[in-house]
């Protein structure tokens, strides 16, 4: 009797836990075989890869990704993470390269963003640059930190100085030219040249180009420099644009958008462009952030797309949901995978609660009440969820269990988009071929926020939608 009671209590607890527990529990190790945009990525410990506002450098045959360590509850600086990879698909968590400082400008209740790392070609030391600020974005400057090892720990030095003064700008980036000279880029398009030791600024190479132009991102192909930036819309995505020049000091030519107008840069904001140079080709990877406020840890994802480059014209004409890049040859290919499609009307999908099955130009199922859910049991080694992201969509909670009920993977995914968009929002790691059940719940919350000017952004409801599922055999 007591046993039965305990079992019931335990089952009840597990159910309660699934519905209400914090997301992002450590789970099945991540394993994947392509670059998938817009879905959570998992590291070797099964934790979500948290590396936004990032850059990548190649060192001793490995790629190192540095980015903002986020939490789901606060925008306060939580450190800068470092991950490594050999294939650019699977990321190993290495360290919190620069942890939260006990006090000071990157101490508690401060902001730290847009971390970038470059190796000084003379000293061999690694230099990390970042935007440091107050939580209300009122005390911004470009700071720097140094380490002898790429993975850290980096020693925070405070603001980098130009003529003895800090650079009081918020969004920043870096660029290392072929001659090893380093540059700090700030919003508006200003380019500052670093001293040879990378520890101060010696010149303003380029003056402000325009207003806005946040998340400045610069890269070079041949003798052309490409300078990408975003409009100023807080965490909301917008149509990013670019300039080109044959010298860093300009003159810069405005070239307009590089992704289709209204696609909001395929729902992302630029942060870095990585050239993957191989024996046959060089693929330039556009790295963008798909922010998700306030669930920046669980639900913010990455949009990494190959850039087409023809002279001064760059473009991402289509959203490549999955693609591969060969890090030896530098070549890229679209990735199809052996996926079976399960439409939302499939009788094996069990809907619970108030679901509406809408068929307009696209057929979707949608629900809004907290904990309304659907489940799907399948045999295979990977499952993915496509949704129609909409302006009134919220977060969906995903729970994947094996046939014994063991939790395999759990996360919160963001189904909001300012403009309607069909896309993959969740993809499990590649698992042993077996029987699994996927459950998707209305989380009952949505991304929305206001910025320092008190403008409101984000979703208007908690709706979730399903377009289809995909299962890998
Ligand atoms: C846009 C910037 O690009 C981000 O880095 C961040 O600072 C947000 N604004 C904050 O609203």
């Amino acid at each position: 009797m007591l046993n039965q009671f305990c079992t019931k209590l335990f089952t009840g607890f597990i159910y309660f836990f699934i519905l209400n527990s914090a997301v992002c529990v450590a789970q099945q190790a991540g394993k994947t075989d392509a670059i998938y945009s817009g879905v959570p990525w998992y590291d070797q410990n099964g934790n979500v890869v948290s590396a936004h506002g990032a850059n990548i450098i190649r060192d001793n045959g490995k790629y190192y990704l540095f980015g903002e360590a986020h939490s789901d509850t606060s925008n306060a600086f939580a450190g800068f993470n470092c991950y490594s990879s050999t294939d650019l698909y699977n990321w190993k968590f290495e360290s919190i390269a620069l942890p939260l400082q006990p006090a000071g400008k990157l101490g508690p209740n401060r902001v730290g963003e847009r971390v970038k790392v470059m190796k000084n070609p003379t000293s061999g030391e690694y230099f990390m640059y970042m935007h440091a600020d107050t939580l209300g974005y009122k005390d911004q400057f470009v700071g720097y930190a140094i380490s002898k090892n790429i993975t850290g720990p980096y020693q925070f030095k405070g603001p980098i100085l130009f003529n003895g003064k800090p650079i009081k700008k918020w969004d920043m980036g870096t660029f290392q030219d072929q001659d090893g000279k380093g540059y700090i880029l700030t919003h508006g398009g200003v380019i500052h040249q670093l001293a040879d030791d990378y520890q101060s600024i010696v010149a303003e190479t380029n003056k402000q180009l325009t207003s806005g132009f946040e998340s400045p991102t610069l890269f070079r192909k041949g003798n052309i420099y490409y300078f990408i930036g975003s409009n100023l819309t807080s965490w909301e995505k917008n149509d990013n644009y670019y300039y080109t020049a044959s010298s860093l000091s300009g003159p810069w030519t405005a070239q307009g958008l590089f992704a289709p107008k209204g696609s909001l840069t395929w729902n992302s904001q630029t942060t870095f462009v990585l050239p993957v140079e191989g024996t046959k080709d060089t693929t330039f990877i556009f790295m963008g952030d798909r922010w998700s406020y306030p669930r920046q840890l669980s639900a913010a994802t990455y949009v990494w797309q190959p850039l087409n480059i023809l002279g001064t014209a760059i473009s991402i004409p289509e959203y490549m949901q999955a693609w591969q890049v060969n890090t030896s040859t530098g070549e890229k290919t679209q990735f199809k995978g052996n996926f079976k499609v399960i439409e939302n009307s499939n009788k094996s999908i069990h809907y619970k609660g108030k679901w509406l099955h809408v068929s307009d130009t696209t057929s979707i199922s949608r629900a809004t009440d907290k904990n309304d859910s659907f489940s799907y049991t399948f045999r295979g080694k990977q499952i993915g969820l496509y949704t129609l992201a909409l302006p009134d969509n919220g977060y969906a909670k995903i729970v994947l269990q094996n046939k014994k009920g063991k939790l395999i993977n759990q996360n919160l995914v963001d189904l909001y988009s300012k403009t309607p968009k069909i896309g993959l929002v969740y993809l499990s790691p590649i698992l042993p071929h077996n029987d699994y059940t996927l459950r998707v719940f209305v989380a009952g919350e949505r991304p929305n926020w206001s910025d320092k000017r008190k403008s409101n952004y984000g979703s208007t409801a908690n709706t979730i939608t399903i377009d289809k599922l995909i299962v890998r055999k």
Side-chain angles (χ1 to χ4, degrees), residues 113-114 137 171 214-215 234-235 269 291:
E113 293 180 350
R114 304 213 158 271
Y137 293 96
D171 273 18
E214 287 194 320
S215 56
S234 185
W235 302 110
Q269 182 187 25
W291 305 104

Side-chain angles (χ1 to χ4, degrees), residues 67 71 128 135 143 145 198 202 218 237 246 308 320 382 428 443:
S71 91
M128 174 183 270
L135 270 179
Y198 281 16
V202 288
L218 207 155
K237 304 86 181 169
S246 53
N308 288 352
M320 264 204 215
Q382 196 172 28
S428 73

Side-chain angles (χ1 to χ4, degrees), residues 109-412:
N109 297 318
R110 296 274 306 178
V111 155
E113 293 180 350
R114 304 213 158 271
V115 53
K116 304 281 176 285
V117 172
M118 293 191 288
K119 182 179 188 170
N120 183 279
T122 316
S123 69
E125 289 174 310
Y126 299 90
F127 284 78
M128 174 183 270
Y129 302 91
M130 77 291 290
H131 158 205
D133 215 325
T134 56
L135 270 179
Y137 293 96
K138 292 202 168 120
D139 174 32
Q140 58 271 168
F141 65 86
V142 179
Y144 75 112
I146 310 178
S147 171
K148 290 206 182 319
N149 303 310
I150 188 159
T151 55
Y154 286 76
Q155 297 302 318
F156 181 53
K157 299 285 185 188
I160 188 137
L161 303 179
F162 181 30
N163 293 331
K165 290 192 205 112
I167 303 178
K168 292 189 163 289
K169 295 277 197 152
W170 57 90
D171 273 18
M172 48 74 61
T174 56
F175 172 67
Q176 190 174 48
D177 211 342
Q178 287 164 0
D179 58 6
K181 284 198 177 14
Y183 298 87
I184 301 287
L185 325 165
T186 51
H187 62 90
V190 184
I191 303 175
H192 314 257
Q193 191 192 323
L194 286 163
D196 286 348
D197 67 3
Y198 281 16
Q199 302 202 44
S200 64
I201 304 281
V202 288
E204 191 176 89
T205 307
N206 191 56
K207 297 220 173 305
Q208 180 152 343
L209 285 171
T210 177
S211 61
F213 207 66
E214 287 194 320
S215 56
T217 305
L218 207 155
F219 69 97
R220 175 179 180 168
K221 184 180 180 201
N223 289 325
I224 304 177
Y225 295 95
Y226 304 81
F227 204 0
I228 302 179
S230 76
N231 295 293
L232 210 155
T233 54
S234 185
W235 302 110
E236 185 57 274
K237 304 86 181 169
N238 58 59
D239 285 332
N240 296 186
Y241 55 104
Y242 76 108
Y243 295 81
T244 54
S246 53
S247 154
L248 287 174
S249 55
W252 290 90
T253 307
Q255 301 284 3
L257 310 183
F258 55 92
K261 191 171 164 39
S263 76
L264 314 181
T265 325
W266 298 115
N267 246 354
S268 77
Q269 182 187 25
T270 179
T271 183
F272 195 68
V273 169
L274 175 72
V276 180
E277 240 183 281
T279 48
K280 295 196 181 146
D281 203 355
T282 300
T283 291
F284 289 79
I285 305 184
F286 164 87
M287 292 165 51
D289 294 301
R290 188 172 287 174
W291 305 104
S292 181
Y293 201 86
R295 304 296 188 193
Q296 297 273 45
L297 169 63
S298 315
T301 57
Y302 308 92
V303 174
W304 287 12
Q305 297 288 314
L307 265 178
N308 288 352
I309 306 181
L310 201 67
T312 55
I314 63 172
S315 63
I316 312 175
E318 281 169 12
Y319 183 67
M320 264 204 215
Q321 186 56 79
W323 62 287
Q324 293 179 318
V325 58
N326 183 320
T327 53
S328 310
T329 65
E331 294 166 304
K332 59 168 192 292
T333 40
Q334 188 144 14
F335 182 71
K336 289 261 182 272
N338 189 13
F339 288 102
K340 183 171 110 190
V341 172
I342 296 101
E343 297 295 350
N344 60 59
S345 53
N346 191 296
K347 294 279 170 285
S348 304
I349 301 180
H350 299 291
Y351 291 96
K352 268 193 188 161
K354 278 192 263 157
W355 283 85
L356 214 67
H357 303 279
V358 195
S359 202
D360 195 342
T361 41
T362 323
S363 143
I364 56 154
S365 299
R366 52 184 290 167
T368 306
D369 293 346
K370 188 169 179 185
N371 294 331
D372 280 358
S373 65
F374 69 81
S375 64
Y376 181 69
T377 297
F378 64 98
R379 176 164 292 178
K381 53 183 184 182
Q382 196 172 28
I383 185 156
L385 166 67
Y386 274 82
T387 61
L388 173 63
L390 291 166
D392 56 356
N393 274 2
Y395 291 114
K397 186 155 149 178
I398 311 268
V399 179
L400 181 64
Q401 291 166 294
N402 69 10
K403 64 178 170 201
K404 291 187 180 144
K406 184 177 171 248
L407 183 66
I408 302 296
N409 187 251
Q410 181 179 334
N411 213 334
L412 201 63

